[in-house]
Amino acid sequence: LFTFAQKMVAKTLIAVLVIAAVAACALALPRHKSFAHVLNERFRHTERLMAEAGQDPHAGDPQPMWFTQKLDHYDPQNAATWQQKYYMNDTFYQLGNPIFLYINGEGPMAPKVVTSLQVNEYARMYGALVVALEHRFYGDSQPFPDLSTPNLKFLSSQQALADLAYFRQEFNKAHGRDDTKWIVFGGSYAGAMSSWFRLKYPQLVAGAVASSGPVHAELDFYQYLQVVQNSLLSV
C-alpha cells in the first residue's frame, strides 16, 4: 500500500508529466497562419511541381494593378492617399454579367487568387469578371513605409471595408458599369468581411459568399492577434 507521502509524490509526478506533454504538443504545433498565407503556400507548392515538370508556373498570371486609395475614410480633412494592389481576370467575362470581388485577408495577395480559386469556377459558370483587392497593410499594399504605432491606427476592419466600398464605386465609374451587380467573396477573416460588407453597404453589393467566416464574437481572441502579428512580421 502507498503511504500518504508516496501518493502525493505520485500525483506531483503525474502533474509534471502532463504539463510536459502539453508543452511538447504546443511546441509541435505550427505557427498561427492567416488564410491568405495558407493559400500562398499552396500556390508556391503547385508552382514548384509545375517547374519540376518543365512547365511555366506563372503562365497566365495577371499583372498587378494599382488603385489610388484614401488613407482615412472617416476624416474628410485628411486628403492622404496610397496605392492599393488589385488583380483582375476577365477570361470568362461577358458584358452585363456580374463582377465577383474577392476580398484578400490578412496576408499578401498572389495573382492566382483570380485564376485558381473556387470563385473562378463560379465566374466560368456565370460569365463574371473576377477582381481581387489586397487588404491595407499587407503584402504590397502599404500606406506607410513603416509599421509604427501612429501608422497602425489606420489598420482596422472599418477602414478596410470602406476601402472596398470606395474601390467598388470608383471601379464602376472608371469602367462605366453603374448597373453591374457585385458579389463579394472571402474566407476566414475575409469571409467575415464579406458578410459585414453586405450588411454595411447593401446598396453596393447584391450578395456575399463567406467561407469559414467567424460568426461569434470572442473576447480576448489572442489567437487571431498571433495571426496578425505573423502576417505583419512577414512584410
Side-chain angles (χ1 to χ4, degrees):
L1 297 176
F2 287 102
T3 64
F4 176 80
Q6 288 174 322
K7 289 181 180 180
M8 292 301 297
V9 170
K11 289 181 178 179
T12 302
L13 180 59
I14 292 173
V16 170
L17 291 174
V18 169
I19 293 172
V22 171
C25 290
L27 291 173
L29 288 173
R31 296 176 66 189
H32 294 278
K33 298 178 181 178
S34 68
F35 183 70
H37 273 89
V38 173
L39 283 180
N40 287 334
E41 288 179 352
R42 292 180 180 177
F43 290 150
R44 286 193 292 269
H45 176 68
T46 301
E47 289 170 357
R48 284 194 297 269
L49 294 178
M50 293 178 66
E52 292 172 359
Q55 303 175 16
D56 181 1
H58 299 292
D61 282 358
Q63 294 300 308
M65 306 177 77
W66 300 94
F67 175 71
T68 301
Q69 185 61 266
K70 294 180 180 181
L71 175 63
D72 191 344
H73 297 275
Y74 299 96
D75 181 2
Q77 296 182 342
N78 189 338
T81 60
W82 55 283
Q83 295 299 300
Q84 189 170 22
K85 186 172 75 174
Y86 71 98
Y87 288 110
M88 185 167 62
N89 180 6
D90 61 358
T91 302
F92 311 112
Y93 183 58
Q94 299 176 21
L95 190 62
N97 285 356
I99 295 176
F100 291 167
L101 175 58
Y102 178 81
I103 305 172
N104 203 72
E106 65 287 27
M109 182 173 68
K112 285 184 169 52
V113 297
V114 295
T115 61
S116 304
L117 298 181
Q118 183 62 37
V119 62
N120 302 289
E121 293 302 314
Y122 295 143
R124 184 195 303 270
M125 294 169 59
Y126 297 103
L129 175 69
V130 181
V131 182
L133 188 67
E134 190 170 58
H135 198 295
R136 58 169 57 203
F137 283 90
Y138 296 107
D140 297 316
S141 298
Q142 298 296 324
F144 301 99
D146 64 82
L147 299 176
S148 63
T149 300
N151 292 342
L152 285 175
K153 74 177 183 179
F154 295 103
L155 173 57
S156 69
S157 57
Q158 290 90 343
Q159 294 283 3
L161 289 170
D163 285 345
L164 293 166
Y166 185 61
F167 173 81
R168 179 251 187 255
Q169 291 172 305
E170 294 302 305
F171 188 94
N172 269 11
K173 290 179 184 178
H175 296 276
R177 294 169 176 161
D178 291 338
D179 297 331
T180 300
K181 293 186 181 298
W182 286 64
I183 308 293
V184 289
F185 293 78
S188 189
Y189 160 60
M193 284 188 66
S194 67
S195 299
W196 298 337
F197 189 73
R198 177 71 175 92
L199 290 171
K200 189 169 184 177
Y201 301 98
Q203 75 279 13
L204 298 181
V205 61
V209 179
S211 300
S212 302
V215 294
H216 296 292
E218 182 174 344
L219 187 65
D220 191 21
F221 192 7
Y222 68 89
Q223 296 94 334
Y224 181 69
L225 296 181
Q226 292 175 328
V227 171
V228 172
Q229 176 186 4
N230 294 335
S231 294
L232 292 177
L233 287 174
S234 68
V235 173

